[in-house]
Amino acid sequence: MTLFNFIKKHRLTTLGIIVGSVGGFLYWRFVGCTSGTCPITSSPLMSILWGAILGGLLFDMFKKKDNKQHE
C-alpha cells in the first residue's frame, strides 16, 4: 500500500490530524501558558502534538464502518 492509498483510505482521520495540529498551534499562540508551568500549553510542539492526536481521534469517530470487516 502506497502512502497515497493510505491517506486516501484514512482521509477523514488525516484531515482531523491536520485540523487538530492547526488548532493546537493556535491554542498555544493565543491562549498558551507563558510561565512555563503548564506541560502541554507552554510548548508549541506539545500543543501541536496533542491537537493532532485529539483531532485525529475526533474525526475518526465519524468514519463510516466497512461492512466487509464485520463479516
Side-chain angles (χ1 to χ4, degrees):
M1 179 183 294
T2 64
L3 180 62
F4 180 73
N5 289 339
F6 180 81
I7 291 173
K8 186 176 177 182
K9 183 177 179 183
H10 301 286
R11 64 181 165 260
L12 197 58
T13 306
T14 305
L15 179 64
I17 291 170
I18 293 168
V19 169
S21 298
V22 171
F25 175 78
L26 292 175
Y27 187 83
W28 168 79
R29 177 71 174 101
F30 295 111
V31 180
C33 181
T34 58
S35 66
T37 58
C38 312
I40 295 175
T41 58
S42 63
S43 165
L45 179 62
M46 290 302 294
S47 291
I48 291 170
L49 286 175
W50 276 103
I53 291 168
L54 293 176
L57 289 173
L58 180 70
F59 278 49
D60 189 56
M61 289 186 339
F62 298 106
K63 189 167 50 172
K64 293 182 181 180
K65 294 183 180 173
D66 189 14
N67 289 335
K68 293 177 185 175
Q69 291 178 351
H70 297 293
E71 292 179 359

